[in-house]
Amino acid sequence: MTISFKDLTLREGSQVPGLEITDDVGKRVLDGLARVNVGRVEVSFPRAAPREELYRHAESLGLRTAALARAVPADVDAALDVEPDEIEVIVNSSDVQLEHALGKTREESLDLLRENVERAVEGGVAAGATLMDAVRADNDHLRAGARVVRDAGGRHVTLADTTGAGDPEAVRETVAAVADEVGGDLAVTIHTHDDMGVATANAVAGVDAGADSVDATVGGVGERAGNAPLEEVAVLGSERGDDVALELPELVPACREILDALDVDYEGKPVLGREGYRHESGLHTAAMLREPSTYEPFDPERYGAERELLFGRGTGSGGVRALLDATGLEATDEQVAVGQEALRDAAAERGEPLSREAAAEVVAEAVES
């Protein structure tokens, strides 16, 4: 199974309160996305922020650009003005949003969708549509919307769990309903939010149900609790055997560079946070010196990260013995105890645990003396 991506870091990030993305910062984000070879990027909502300089920079990097537009003629025209490769027309699809956000009936919303997808296509660009709040919408209405997109000349339909209300089972049901209807004619994309902490699982569930592509953002940057994190979906898909359409050895360093440019902290995040690869527990380090997969779900080097084994007050005799074994030294239980005490003293003196190399040197010196 292949997982491809459209990155929405710039557009979703612009909706985060207090997160200012200047053109210079935006270019650094695009540079990182090109480094990981994400392929497609949704740059902006041009009716509110044209960001033409960023569209041109993305093009210079070989990235395919997308512009967002509501199902409103003025939005589509503003999107056409920035000359993107494609336009994403969005319309509400759940009854609660149709009534309270759009103020239209289902039939009226489909008319708006048809009119504005056609307008984008007639403007000379590829077009697709996002059916917002799809997981809470009626599946028959979603199927009707997908048919409208197809008949209007659109190339894809995105199913958005706009409020993050879905779980994997609900997402699979929603995506399958649409993919079974138009999967041969339109590409299907899944777009998830992390309000209940399952955006990554929901995105992969969408792929399993027939989605061809995933909307994602680096670090999950996005409004409210954010979106499916690009790096998490990529690693989860890769580790279960999917063909992930990214430059995986560049994944972690490129995503870290992007979040550094945005001044967004990532140290506590899965995949990107360095703490995810640091081990000090005596039980863990002793085993990992023999076989790293004992306490790691994946090899961090595959994605451009590095594991760090640390030694100090928490290191037991097993860890010390494993350090000595790795250097070719054999020691008695008494010598191991001496090495363990020396290691704890060295860590206390430094005020922090030691790296593997420094720890091996300390215990070897203690045992040999």
Side-chain angles (χ1 to χ4, degrees), residues 34 41 50-51 61 69 133 147 149 155 168 212 241 283 351:
V41 292
R51 310 306 298 265
L61 296 170
D133 205 21
R147 290 193 298 269
V149 175
R155 297 187 183 181
D212 304 284
L283 176 64

PDB file of all heavy atoms in Angstrom, residues 34 41 50-51 61 69 133 147 149 155 168 212 241 283 351:
ATOM      1  N   ALA A  34      10.618  20.358   0.868  1.00  0.00           N
ATOM      2  CA  ALA A  34      11.283  19.870  -0.340  1.00  0.00           C
ATOM      3  C   ALA A  34      12.358  18.851   0.016  1.00  0.00           C
ATOM      4  O   ALA A  34      12.552  17.859  -0.689  1.00  0.00           O
ATOM      5  CB  ALA A  34      11.885  21.041  -1.110  1.00  0.00           C
ATOM      6  N   VAL A  41       1.978  20.810  -1.520  1.00  0.00           N
ATOM      7  CA  VAL A  41       1.805  21.673  -0.351  1.00  0.00           C
ATOM      8  C   VAL A  41       0.618  22.603  -0.564  1.00  0.00           C
ATOM      9  O   VAL A  41       0.440  23.159  -1.647  1.00  0.00           O
ATOM     10  CB  VAL A  41       3.065  22.525  -0.062  1.00  0.00           C
ATOM     11  CG1 VAL A  41       4.211  21.649   0.388  1.00  0.00           C
ATOM     12  CG2 VAL A  41       3.470  23.339  -1.273  1.00  0.00           C
ATOM     13  N   PRO A  50      -2.805  36.129   0.116  1.00  0.00           N
ATOM     14  CA  PRO A  50      -2.342  35.597  -1.171  1.00  0.00           C
ATOM     15  C   PRO A  50      -1.033  34.814  -1.088  1.00  0.00           C
ATOM     16  O   PRO A  50      -0.892  33.764  -1.709  1.00  0.00           O
ATOM     17  CB  PRO A  50      -2.199  36.849  -2.031  1.00  0.00           C
ATOM     18  CG  PRO A  50      -3.136  37.838  -1.424  1.00  0.00           C
ATOM     19  CD  PRO A  50      -3.104  37.574   0.055  1.00  0.00           C
ATOM     20  N   ARG A  51      -0.051  35.338  -0.367  1.00  0.00           N
ATOM     21  CA  ARG A  51       1.257  34.693  -0.175  1.00  0.00           C
ATOM     22  C   ARG A  51       1.895  34.289  -1.509  1.00  0.00           C
ATOM     23  O   ARG A  51       2.504  33.204  -1.630  1.00  0.00           O
ATOM     24  CB  ARG A  51       1.137  33.463   0.735  1.00  0.00           C
ATOM     25  CG  ARG A  51       0.407  33.659   2.033  1.00  0.00           C
ATOM     26  CD  ARG A  51       0.950  34.797   2.883  1.00  0.00           C
ATOM     27  NE  ARG A  51       2.321  34.660   3.317  1.00  0.00           N
ATOM     28  CZ  ARG A  51       2.685  34.155   4.500  1.00  0.00           C
ATOM     29  NH1 ARG A  51       1.754  33.729   5.347  1.00  0.00           N
ATOM     30  NH2 ARG A  51       3.947  34.109   4.839  1.00  0.00           N
ATOM     31  N   LEU A  61      11.207  25.040  -5.980  1.00  0.00           N
ATOM     32  CA  LEU A  61      11.711  23.837  -5.307  1.00  0.00           C
ATOM     33  C   LEU A  61      11.140  22.559  -5.908  1.00  0.00           C
ATOM     34  O   LEU A  61      11.480  21.458  -5.466  1.00  0.00           O
ATOM     35  CB  LEU A  61      11.349  23.891  -3.816  1.00  0.00           C
ATOM     36  CG  LEU A  61      11.969  25.023  -3.004  1.00  0.00           C
ATOM     37  CD1 LEU A  61      11.324  25.096  -1.624  1.00  0.00           C
ATOM     38  CD2 LEU A  61      13.480  24.819  -2.876  1.00  0.00           C
ATOM     39  N   ALA A  69      -9.969  27.453  -1.212  1.00  0.00           N
ATOM     40  CA  ALA A  69     -11.058  28.391  -1.516  1.00  0.00           C
ATOM     41  C   ALA A  69     -12.359  27.818  -0.990  1.00  0.00           C
ATOM     42  O   ALA A  69     -12.639  26.625  -1.165  1.00  0.00           O
ATOM     43  CB  ALA A  69     -11.170  28.617  -3.027  1.00  0.00           C
ATOM     44  N   ASP A 133     -16.270  18.235   7.829  1.00  0.00           N
ATOM     45  CA  ASP A 133     -17.020  17.532   8.879  1.00  0.00           C
ATOM     46  C   ASP A 133     -17.649  16.252   8.337  1.00  0.00           C
ATOM     47  O   ASP A 133     -18.772  15.886   8.683  1.00  0.00           O
ATOM     48  CB  ASP A 133     -18.086  18.450   9.479  1.00  0.00           C
ATOM     49  CG  ASP A 133     -18.457  18.051  10.913  1.00  0.00           C
ATOM     50  OD1 ASP A 133     -17.649  17.361  11.565  1.00  0.00           O
ATOM     51  OD2 ASP A 133     -19.558  18.432  11.361  1.00  0.00           O
ATOM     52  N   ARG A 147     -19.793  12.626  -6.294  1.00  0.00           N
ATOM     53  CA  ARG A 147     -20.238  12.548  -7.686  1.00  0.00           C
ATOM     54  C   ARG A 147     -20.265  13.927  -8.336  1.00  0.00           C
ATOM     55  O   ARG A 147     -19.911  14.096  -9.508  1.00  0.00           O
ATOM     56  CB  ARG A 147     -21.616  11.887  -7.770  1.00  0.00           C
ATOM     57  CG  ARG A 147     -21.620  10.401  -7.437  1.00  0.00           C
ATOM     58  CD  ARG A 147     -22.941   9.746  -7.842  1.00  0.00           C
ATOM     59  NE  ARG A 147     -24.080  10.295  -7.133  1.00  0.00           N
ATOM     60  CZ  ARG A 147     -24.563   9.830  -5.989  1.00  0.00           C
ATOM     61  NH1 ARG A 147     -23.968   8.781  -5.391  1.00  0.00           N
ATOM     62  NH2 ARG A 147     -25.623  10.387  -5.410  1.00  0.00           N
ATOM     63  N   VAL A 149     -18.328  16.467  -7.563  1.00  0.00           N
ATOM     64  CA  VAL A 149     -16.938  16.835  -7.837  1.00  0.00           C
ATOM     65  C   VAL A 149     -16.454  16.168  -9.112  1.00  0.00           C
ATOM     66  O   VAL A 149     -15.835  16.795  -9.978  1.00  0.00           O
ATOM     67  CB  VAL A 149     -16.036  16.456  -6.644  1.00  0.00           C
ATOM     68  CG1 VAL A 149     -14.566  16.722  -6.972  1.00  0.00           C
ATOM     69  CG2 VAL A 149     -16.436  17.238  -5.393  1.00  0.00           C
ATOM     70  N   ARG A 155     -10.560  16.371  -9.675  1.00  0.00           N
ATOM     71  CA  ARG A 155      -9.667  15.211  -9.716  1.00  0.00           C
ATOM     72  C   ARG A 155      -9.598  14.444  -8.401  1.00  0.00           C
ATOM     73  O   ARG A 155      -9.123  13.309  -8.381  1.00  0.00           O
ATOM     74  CB  ARG A 155      -8.262  15.665 -10.119  1.00  0.00           C
ATOM     75  CG  ARG A 155      -8.194  16.274 -11.510  1.00  0.00           C
ATOM     76  CD  ARG A 155      -6.764  16.548 -11.901  1.00  0.00           C
ATOM     77  NE  ARG A 155      -6.670  17.192 -13.203  1.00  0.00           N
ATOM     78  CZ  ARG A 155      -5.527  17.518 -13.793  1.00  0.00           C
ATOM     79  NH1 ARG A 155      -4.374  17.233 -13.187  1.00  0.00           N
ATOM     80  NH2 ARG A 155      -5.518  18.104 -14.970  1.00  0.00           N
ATOM     81  N   PRO A 168     -11.090   5.596  14.575  1.00  0.00           N
ATOM     82  CA  PRO A 168     -10.717   4.838  13.378  1.00  0.00           C
ATOM     83  C   PRO A 168     -11.867   4.087  12.720  1.00  0.00           C
ATOM     84  O   PRO A 168     -11.957   4.049  11.484  1.00  0.00           O
ATOM     85  CB  PRO A 168      -9.634   3.890  13.896  1.00  0.00           C
ATOM     86  CG  PRO A 168      -8.981   4.668  15.000  1.00  0.00           C
ATOM     87  CD  PRO A 168     -10.115   5.385  15.674  1.00  0.00           C
ATOM     88  N   ASP A 212      -6.255   7.534  -0.978  1.00  0.00           N
ATOM     89  CA  ASP A 212      -5.012   7.519  -1.738  1.00  0.00           C
ATOM     90  C   ASP A 212      -3.959   8.442  -1.143  1.00  0.00           C
ATOM     91  O   ASP A 212      -2.775   8.305  -1.439  1.00  0.00           O
ATOM     92  CB  ASP A 212      -5.286   7.980  -3.179  1.00  0.00           C
ATOM     93  CG  ASP A 212      -6.356   7.144  -3.853  1.00  0.00           C
ATOM     94  OD1 ASP A 212      -6.051   6.018  -4.256  1.00  0.00           O
ATOM     95  OD2 ASP A 212      -7.503   7.630  -3.953  1.00  0.00           O
ATOM     96  N   GLY A 241       4.904  -1.587   6.884  1.00  0.00           N
ATOM     97  CA  GLY A 241       5.189  -2.116   5.568  1.00  0.00           C
ATOM     98  C   GLY A 241       4.618  -1.362   4.393  1.00  0.00           C
ATOM     99  O   GLY A 241       4.721  -1.817   3.244  1.00  0.00           O
ATOM    100  N   LEU A 283      17.576  -1.425  33.363  1.00  0.00           N
ATOM    101  CA  LEU A 283      17.021  -2.573  32.662  1.00  0.00           C
ATOM    102  C   LEU A 283      17.035  -2.357  31.151  1.00  0.00           C
ATOM    103  O   LEU A 283      17.412  -3.245  30.384  1.00  0.00           O
ATOM    104  CB  LEU A 283      15.586  -2.821  33.140  1.00  0.00           C
ATOM    105  CG  LEU A 283      14.816  -3.943  32.436  1.00  0.00           C
ATOM    106  CD1 LEU A 283      15.480  -5.288  32.710  1.00  0.00           C
ATOM    107  CD2 LEU A 283      13.363  -3.964  32.910  1.00  0.00           C
ATOM    108  N   GLY A 351      26.883  15.920  37.214  1.00  0.00           N
ATOM    109  CA  GLY A 351      25.525  16.425  37.356  1.00  0.00           C
ATOM    110  C   GLY A 351      24.583  15.958  36.273  1.00  0.00           C
ATOM    111  O   GLY A 351      23.490  16.509  36.110  1.00  0.00           O
TER     112      GLY A 351
END
